[in-house]
Amino acid sequence: GGGGLDEQWASQFPLRTRGRYILNQRGKRFKLFGINWYGASDGKHVVGGLNVRPLKSLCEAVAFMGFTVVRLPWSNEMLHTPKVPQGAIDYEENPELEGKSPLEVLDAVVDGLGRAKVAVILNNHTTVGQWSGGVEPNGLWFLNGTRYTEVAWVADWVALAERYRGRSWVVGYDLRNEVRPTDMLRASNWPFWRSSPGEAATPPTTSTDKPADKPATPRSSRKARGAKKEQPKAQGGGEPEGKACFDWARASGRCARALVASQSEAGQS
């Protein structure tokens, strides 16, 4: 994975915070001069530029321009796609990538950035690999009526974190891009509870979930501020019985706990 890596540079990770500052393991500030490298969350399932230039050249160009970190968007579909679409990579420029899956290409990108002394923040940008913006199905972290449930979303994150556990320069997880309504004709805003069957994926229940005293409610809701009636107790994970969850705060917290538990089991903090 990290062959050719500057071990002294890599040993400064993981990062931590102290007040307003981000510090490395030596107690020195690490400034995030970041850039987004699109592509792996789109239809071709790999980062842009591989069809025109060598990966090594692209990574070195990022470092030459002074960036210290790259945000790498990915899609859940990409993780499970076996082949790179035709035309996404010029294999004469990148012969080492031939025969690799999109996820294996992402491995190579992460390693290439590490060798160029550029840190990585992983970003779950989309569920289905396509350009994402506005009101469309990639607005939420699950996709109704498909295998892309909230359970699968958390599992994908944990699997990716475990995959890159040994790459210290993978310094952050951006859990989801711009969570937003997926249909303007329905009241699909979050966070709130829905009772309509099939409107949302059933939230997972794991050993890391702890039932909440009451569901999270928006501060802007007058009814929520004045409500004193106790919510129905959840069978697991804090959700009222018979309700589906569109609560991003609750879902992101569940995913974060799963990631922390995964790293703790590996002996990392």
Side-chain angles (χ1 to χ4, degrees):
L5 187 71
D6 184 327
E7 297 294 343
Q8 184 176 3
W9 172 80
S11 67
Q12 69 180 301
F13 305 115
L15 302 175
R16 56 194 173 90
T17 58
R18 179 183 296 165
R20 59 182 288 210
Y21 298 116
I22 298 174
L23 306 178
N24 64 17
Q25 289 296 301
R26 302 173 193 126
K28 296 183 178 180
R29 288 184 64 186
F30 186 91
K31 296 184 179 180
L32 300 178
F33 295 112
I35 190 171
N36 187 78
W37 194 347
Y38 81 98
S41 62
D42 292 0
K44 292 186 176 180
H45 303 310
V46 296
V47 295
L50 296 178
N51 59 331
V52 292
R53 291 182 63 180
L55 173 60
K56 183 175 184 293
S57 172
L58 292 169
C59 293
E60 290 174 347
V62 171
F64 178 78
M65 288 185 284
F67 295 107
T68 63
V69 63
V70 162
R71 177 181 183 248
L72 282 181
W74 55 275
S75 76
N76 299 89
E77 181 184 13
M78 180 274 288
L79 295 186
H80 306 282
T81 298
K83 294 183 179 180
V84 174
Q86 187 173 3
I89 299 175
D90 183 336
Y91 293 112
E92 290 187 1
E93 296 283 356
N94 295 282
E96 75 282 4
L97 301 181
E98 191 165 8
K100 293 184 181 294
S101 69
L103 179 54
E104 290 169 335
V105 172
L106 187 67
D107 294 343
V109 174
V110 170
D111 290 341
L113 287 168
R115 285 190 286 269
K117 299 183 182 180
V118 179
V120 171
I121 294 175
L122 299 171
N123 160 246
N124 176 227
H125 204 77
T126 56
T127 300
V128 177
Q130 63 184 39
W131 184 87
S132 177
V135 179
E136 46 94 17
N138 279 316
L140 296 174
W141 57 100
F142 55 85
L143 191 56
N144 293 331
T146 73
R147 63 187 178 90
Y148 298 113
T149 63
E150 184 177 301
V151 175
W153 173 70
V154 173
D156 281 348
W157 256 123
V158 170
L160 206 58
E162 291 179 349
R163 188 178 187 90
Y164 296 135
R165 181 177 292 154
R167 275 93 156 178
S168 64
W169 61 97
V170 177
V171 297
Y173 305 140
D174 182 357
L175 295 184
R176 187 69 181 187
N177 178 66
E178 299 173 0
V179 179
R180 59 196 185 277
T182 59
D183 188 343
M184 292 301 292
L185 299 179
R186 298 183 183 181
S188 57
N189 292 317
W190 38 261
F192 78 116
W193 302 105
R194 294 188 71 103
S195 57
S196 302
E199 285 293 329
T202 302
T205 300
T206 69
S207 59
T208 59
D209 289 338
K210 295 181 180 180
D213 294 331
K214 59 182 180 179
T217 51
R219 289 189 178 184
S220 60
S221 169
R222 296 180 181 178
K223 183 178 180 181
R225 288 199 301 268
K228 295 183 179 180
K229 184 177 179 180
E230 185 176 350
Q231 295 289 332
K233 290 185 178 180
Q235 295 182 353
E239 291 76 23
E241 295 179 15
K243 302 279 184 175
C245 180
F246 271 71
D247 189 336
W248 169 241
R250 190 177 295 272
S252 60
R254 178 177 290 111
C255 186
R257 289 194 298 274
L259 287 168
V260 169
S262 172
Q263 298 303 298
S264 297
E265 290 172 3
Q268 298 186 2
S269 57

